[in-house]
Structure formats: structure tokens, C-alpha cells
Amino acid sequence: GAYTLSLLLRMSSLMTKQQVAMSLFFCAGEQSLRAAMVQQGGLGLALKLARVEGAAAAAAGDKKAGSKLKLLVSHALARILISVNPGLLEEIQVLECVGPLVSLIAKDYALQQFEGLLALTNLATVGMEVQDKIVGNGFGAIEELQWSKNEMVVRAATELLCNCVSCDKVLASIKDGSRQKLWIGLALSEDPATANAAAGAIAMASGDPRVAASLAKSGAFEQVLDLAESSQPGMRHRAFVTLENLRNEAEAFRALDEGSQCKVKNALERLKESDG
């Protein structure tokens, strides 16, 4: 159990600590063991390894061993935190997990990226302070993964940013012209989960007057009109929220020509009739 591993951790041998990290990694690979690992102190043990021992190995001149140790521990943390309810953890512990997970998603291996993103998405449900730390530490890496060739990584990165859409950097990315095109493209994705996450982020962000004005001025609202014709009720709802925000925000609505204003109004009426 985790207690036995913690006793081994008191030994100074780097090899022993690597074995402890390996044990945590493989145990965390079994979903049925993850809750028990947290209950028995496995999460705290992994955090201690990530915090102290990797740095100690690097300081001792064995950077390769230190990097390997930190990678194993970070991946173990990700696997544990994918399944565990973060609301049951102390917030200070949740905040401390963010750093190792952000370092994990910066690696080149898709499985590490994917599982790290899932864990961060789970942690983001704790609240705004955690979301701010995730975005503050990892926004660049997360945004880059929205361009990944791996569909599951793209989906996970988009879902994570959707969970953090209230953060300034995420709002700015949806407002920005070039990055806004990425968000619109993802909302039109053939992968339903990716499309729903991207469209959901756009809908929530459009409540910000600056984002609403940008969607109107860039012409991106035309793609939102396309989303309003979706056969999926959830997607139509996201389109409705976005278009309603465009109509209600004075600057955004004024940015549309008369014909575009009519398109928005007509789409809203159709959506009200079809979806109640």
C-alpha cells in the first residue's frame, strides 16, 4: 500500500525512489485502485516525490534520472486525478497538482498529453482559483494542443479551455481574430464532443461585450447561424445563446448590417419555435 511505499521513500537511494514512482504509476493505471490510493495517502506521496525528489536528483547532477522520476510521478498524478472527485481533496493539494500536470501535457507523447488534460479538466471543476492557476501556468501548452493531430488530444484540450472560459486568456483567445477562427473551426468539427465544447465556450464567452462585438465584426456569426441549423438540440442551444448575446449587446448588433441583423433575428425566432 501507499504506507509501505512512504516508508521506502525515506531511503536516500534514487533507484528506490524511482521504484516507488514506478509502483505509483502502475497502481494508478488500475482505475479501481485510484480512490484507495488517495485514501491511503498515495496522492500526497506522489506530490512529495514531484516536489522534492526530482529537484534533488537534478541538484545531484543526475538530471536524466530526475526528469524520469518527475515524469512517472506526474503521469501517476494524472491517472489518479482523472477518476477522483477533486471536491473531496483539500484545495491547496489541488492547486499543487497543477504544476506537475502542466509539465506532463508539455511532453510529446499523446497519452501523457491526453491523460494530463483530462486530469486538469477534472481539477478545473473545483473553482475559479484552480482555473486561474491552470490557465496561468499552462495556457500556451493547452492552446497548442488544440492543433494536435490526435483527435482525442484536441477534444481534451478544448474541453479543458471550455471549463476555464471565464479566465481572461481564454476569453482573449476567442475574441482574437486568428484564434477565433480556430474556435469556430472546432465548433464545426465532425467530432461531436469537440464541437460541443468549442461551441459551448463560444456561447459562454459571447456574454462578454468585447467577444460579442468581435464575433459580429469578424463575420464569425455566419458560422454560428450554420450551427443553429444543426440536428443536435444541444448544438442549437449553444447557437441560440451566442446569437441572443449578439442581439442583446448593442455594439455587437450595430456592427451587423441590416441584412445580417435580420438573419440573426430570424434564426432566433426559428430556434424558439423549434426548441421552445
Side-chain angles (χ1 to χ4, degrees):
Y3 176 71
T4 303
L5 292 176
S6 68
L7 294 178
L8 289 171
L9 191 58
R10 295 177 186 176
M11 300 174 65
S12 60
S13 166
L14 179 59
M15 183 175 293
T16 299
K17 289 164 184 173
Q18 286 179 333
Q19 290 300 317
V20 171
M22 188 73 74
S23 297
L24 288 169
F25 173 73
F26 283 116
C27 287
E30 295 292 331
Q31 186 171 346
S32 60
L33 298 178
R34 292 170 185 169
M37 289 181 71
V38 174
Q39 292 168 0
Q40 294 176 21
L43 183 67
L45 182 60
L47 280 171
K48 183 178 180 181
L49 271 168
R51 185 191 321 127
V52 179
E53 306 303 342
D62 197 345
K63 292 184 178 180
K64 185 176 180 180
S67 297
K68 181 180 178 181
L69 180 61
K70 186 173 181 180
L71 180 60
L72 279 171
V73 172
S74 298
H75 204 166
L77 280 171
R79 290 182 165 184
I80 293 169
L81 293 168
I82 287 170
S83 304
V84 172
N85 178 1
L88 301 177
L89 305 176
E90 294 182 12
E91 188 164 343
I92 190 170
Q93 201 172 38
V94 172
L95 290 168
E96 191 176 354
C97 289
V98 171
L101 293 176
V102 167
S103 71
L104 184 67
I105 67 170
K107 303 299 180 183
D108 293 331
Y109 187 37
L111 181 62
Q112 294 166 350
Q113 295 168 348
F114 178 64
E115 293 188 335
L117 289 165
L118 291 184
L120 287 168
T121 301
N122 195 23
L123 294 187
T125 63
V126 170
M128 198 66 206
E129 186 176 359
V130 178
Q131 293 169 22
D132 282 338
K133 183 163 186 179
I134 291 170
V135 172
N137 289 15
F139 178 72
I142 300 164
E143 187 181 45
E144 185 176 338
L145 291 176
Q146 287 186 292
W147 295 93
S148 171
K149 294 180 180 178
N150 186 299
E151 184 178 273
M152 295 174 69
V153 171
V154 173
R155 179 195 308 157
T158 304
E159 289 176 339
L160 173 54
L161 290 180
C162 181
N163 274 20
C164 300
V165 74
S166 297
C167 298
D168 288 341
K169 286 185 178 180
V170 183
L171 285 172
S173 77
I174 298 175
K175 173 180 172 289
D176 178 77
S178 59
R179 291 185 288 180
Q180 187 181 94
K181 292 178 181 177
L182 169 65
W183 281 100
I184 291 293
L186 291 171
L188 296 168
S189 169
E190 294 182 1
D191 177 58
T194 300
N196 281 333
I202 292 168
M204 289 184 282
S206 67
D208 184 301
R210 298 164 299 175
V211 175
S214 175
L215 289 167
K217 293 173 183 177
S218 70
F221 74 93
E222 293 280 5
Q223 283 74 48
V224 179
L225 290 170
D226 292 337
L227 296 177
E229 303 298 325
S230 170
S231 61
Q232 301 299 318
M235 183 59 76
R236 292 197 301 272
H237 174 70
R238 289 164 172 79
F240 177 84
V241 171
T242 305
L243 294 172
E244 189 169 50
N245 284 334
L246 290 183
R247 186 183 65 178
N248 292 339
E249 292 293 344
E251 181 185 350
F253 201 61
R254 282 197 305 267
L256 302 175
D257 59 38
E258 188 175 344
S260 297
Q261 290 179 352
C262 287
K263 286 181 182 180
V264 170
K265 290 178 180 178
N266 291 339
L268 287 170
E269 288 302 318
R270 286 197 304 273
L271 288 168
K272 286 179 180 178
E273 290 174 6
S274 64
D275 297 335

